[in-house]
């Protein structure tokens, strides 16, 4: 996730200006900001509200509604473990408990060294290879505790 | 010579990228001249990465191929279809595939998903060609006569929806594709968007021309980044070749498309929440009426259809309504794309005429459980579908037959659980999921789901058991009757079915002797 840049209000504004002409531009704008900075900084909220001529509360309401949009920067790696029914039927609970123990954080948290953000996800559409996971946007199937260890180690080496 | 290595996310999740690199380096080292095609998935997912080699006999499949096995494959003459432990024979002859009736997925896995030439060579754009020679109402009638019903889960007749939009008067109309495939155990939309995106684009274009819409959106969930990228590229290609734009295929009729990304909200699979989200708001559902067909996106008449419904339109237009209508049973016409998931040995996509029983799907196609343990429960239709016990496995996969058993065909996902499953835990999870994903519009869903978790917890710890069972029953009734959409309205189904069919699971840790059988205490369920 090396392409992520530190938040910069001028660059945020440039992205907002590029996209504000779209019909229903708010989600595309929020995605663009999160792709660029890794999260939606609160400083961007009034900028978006101003560009789209809506209230700050409306923007904030949308940011907080969707599970994807983060108000704070994530860790260097984001590991998402699926905990929906198909993955439950193949023992995702074991994998999740193992990863939580290993990283010392719960789902939804970031390790103190900023290396990993652990998140749950409800279905990646990889239900034929449950339990499934996504590490930095790449899909992984049959994620047993051992496979999870390998993923964490290889990501740790990449930094 | 061509070698096919899938680029589908399921194949990538099992190491297809490493396999592709290993094959490339072997080809170079052995000075073999071959073209690598990155195709979609054939849907034989337990065999992924499934690599195919073009030979005079046809395409020969090998799988599951690992990067480590590649050198050995080449030693065995894999490039010429040579014998090897991983050789599966001619792909089309693999029983799992041979037993199917592939209509919507006819091309998926065969072609390069982003080759328009490939698409056209395999019957692509023939449906549009015919549609462009027809009057718009005749296109709508063709779809209506095919008997196609919404494949997203609700099963509403597609032709009737289209007719409503056709007859609505407005300066602008929209076609919206619901690609927010959030149900666990389903992946047909993803497979299709990654494996044959042009068929979806063609289906939406036909829909636009039929109802007089000039603009379409494909709302794809953010959990599907690969599908999103593939669809975006396919739209750009179609536009470049004038299959989208101001004059579709030189017809003078305009239609253009845009792919939009969701943001991790299950509720946006509900059509009105999806429209809110597309408009840039919280994904909160809208009361109906007005129907989206009358007042949909930006207040304009809008067709909202699932990926599979829209992707089925081209073959209906190409081969005619009767051809499609001839598949299926009762009022469920055509084919259902069944997705075998969870604890199943042969997981994958099965496209088959409606009417196959659950047992046939799970055993004849799926080969039983992956763990080899006895099957205990099956959930069909995602997190809002009922849990069925073994005794209901002879239910045919048909909208009406499932509804009669208080089940849901839904989007056709089948999740199998073996005998280690704890159905009380699954029931609790159903309420928990509803609490996490509720949009908050209706009180029974927003509050009821949280209370549901608490009540189930009290039952499981034997606190005032009878009273709490009654309370759960009342709560479920309130959710079913008092919620505007399917999330609050159907969450009780997995809960009450678990209680009805697996009452013993709710008797832990120590059952009190005076307690009545849990299933006997649930009145509204019967």
């Amino acid at each position: 996730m090396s392409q992520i840049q530190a938040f910069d209000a001028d660059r945020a504004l440039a992205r907002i200006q590029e996209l504000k002409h779209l019909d229903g531009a708010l989600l595309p704008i929020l995605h663009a900001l999160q792709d660029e900075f890794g999260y939606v900084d609160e400083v961007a909220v009034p900028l978006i509200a101003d560009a789209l001529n809506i209230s700050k509360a409306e923007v904030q309401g949308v940011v907080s509604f969707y599970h994807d949009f983060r108000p704070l920067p994530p860790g260097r790696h984001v590991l998402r473990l699926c905990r929906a029914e198909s993955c439950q039927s193949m023992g995702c609970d074991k994998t999740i408990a193992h990863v939580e123990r290993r990283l010392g954080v719960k789902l939804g948290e970031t390790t103190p060294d900023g290396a990993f953000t652990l998140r749950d996800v409800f279905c990646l559409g990889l239900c034929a290879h449950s339990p499934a996971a996504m590490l930095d946007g790449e899909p992984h199937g049959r994620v047993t505790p051992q496979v999870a260890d390998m993923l964490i180690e290889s990501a740790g080496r990449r930094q | 010579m061509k070698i096919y290595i899938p680029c589908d996310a399921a194949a990538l999740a099992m190491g297809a990228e490493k396999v592709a690199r290993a094959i490339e380096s072997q080809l170079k080292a052995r000075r073999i001249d071959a073209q690598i095609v990155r195709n979609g998935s054939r849907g034989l997912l337990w065999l992924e990465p499934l690599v195919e080699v073009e030979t005079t006999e046809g395409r020969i499949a090998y799988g599951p191929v690992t990067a480590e096995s590649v050198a050995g494959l080449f030693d065995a003459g894999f490039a010429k279809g040579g014998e090897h432990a991983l050789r599966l024979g001619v792909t089309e002859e693999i029983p799992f595939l041979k037993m199917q009736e592939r209509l919507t997925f006819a091309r998926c896995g065969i072609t390069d998903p982003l080759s328009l030439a490939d698409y056209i060579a395999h019957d692509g754009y023939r449906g549009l060609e015919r549609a462009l020679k027809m009057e718009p109402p005749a296109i709508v009638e063709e779809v209506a006569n095919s008997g196609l019903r919404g494949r997203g889960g609700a099963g509403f007749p597609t032709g009737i929806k289209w007719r409503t939009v056709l007859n609505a008067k407005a300066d602008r109309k929209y076609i919206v594709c619901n690609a927010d495939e959030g149900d666990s155990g389903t992946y047909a939309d993803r497979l299709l968007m990654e494996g044959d995106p042009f068929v979806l684009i063609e289906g939406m274009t036909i829909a636009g021309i039929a109802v007089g819409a000039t603009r379409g959106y494909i709302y794809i969930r953010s959990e599907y980044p690969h599908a999103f990228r593939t669809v975006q590229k396919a739209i750009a290609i179609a536009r470049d070749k004038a299959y989208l734009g101001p004059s579709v295929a030189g017809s003078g009729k305009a239609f253009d498309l845009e792919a939009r990304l969701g943001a991790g909200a299950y509720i946006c699979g509900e059509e009105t929440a999806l429209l809110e989200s597309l408009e840039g708001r919280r994904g909160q559902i809208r009361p109906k009426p007005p129907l989206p067909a009358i007042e949909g996106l930006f207040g304009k008449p809008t067709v909202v259809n699932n990926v599979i419904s829209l992707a089925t339109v081209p073959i209906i237009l190409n081969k005619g309504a009767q051809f499609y209508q001839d598949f299926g049973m009762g009022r469920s016409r055509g084919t259902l794309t069944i997705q075998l998931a969870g604890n199943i040995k042969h997981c994958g996509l099965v496209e088959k005429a409606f009417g196959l029983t659950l047992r046939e799907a799970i055993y004849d196609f799926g080969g039983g459980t992956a763990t080899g343990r006895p099957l205990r429960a099956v959930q069909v239709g995602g997190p809002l579908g009922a849990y069925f016990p073994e005794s209901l496995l002879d239910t045919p996969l048909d909208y009406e037959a499932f509804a009669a058993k208080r089940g849901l065909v839904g989007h056709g996902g089948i999740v199998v659980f073996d005998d280690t499953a704890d159905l009380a835990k699954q029931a609790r999870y159903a309420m928990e999921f509803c609490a996490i994903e509720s949009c908050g519009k209706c009180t029974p869903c927003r509050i009821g789901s949280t209370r549901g978790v608490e009540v189930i917890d009290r039952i499981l710890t034997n606190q005032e058991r009878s009273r709490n069972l009654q309370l759960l029953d009342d709560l479920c009734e309130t959710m079913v009757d008092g919620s505007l959409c399917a999330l609050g309205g159907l969450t009780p189904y997995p809960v009450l079915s678990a209680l009805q069919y697996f009452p013993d699971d709710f008797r832990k840790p120590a059952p009190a002797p005076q307690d009545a059988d849990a299933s006997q205490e649930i009145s509204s369920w019967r």
Side-chain angles (χ1 to χ4, degrees), chain B residues 245 295 410:
Chain B
E295 272 180 52

Side-chain angles (χ1 to χ4, degrees), chain B residues 353-419:
Chain B
F354 281 94
L356 191 72
T357 67
L358 207 41
R359 190 182 304 281
E360 288 166 335
I362 294 168
Y363 289 98
D364 297 355
F365 284 93
T369 61
T371 48
R373 302 182 65 95
L375 174 149
R376 180 127 194 273
V378 182
Q379 189 181 32
V380 182
L384 309 176
Y387 284 101
F388 277 9
E390 226 277 334
S391 61
L392 289 181
L393 289 191
D394 293 314
T395 311
L397 286 152
D398 159 84
Y399 294 118
E400 278 68 38
F402 256 66
K405 301 271 165 62
R406 289 191 174 250
L408 192 69
V409 170
H411 190 45
I414 297 178
V415 177
V416 171
F417 292 78
D418 71 12
D419 64 347

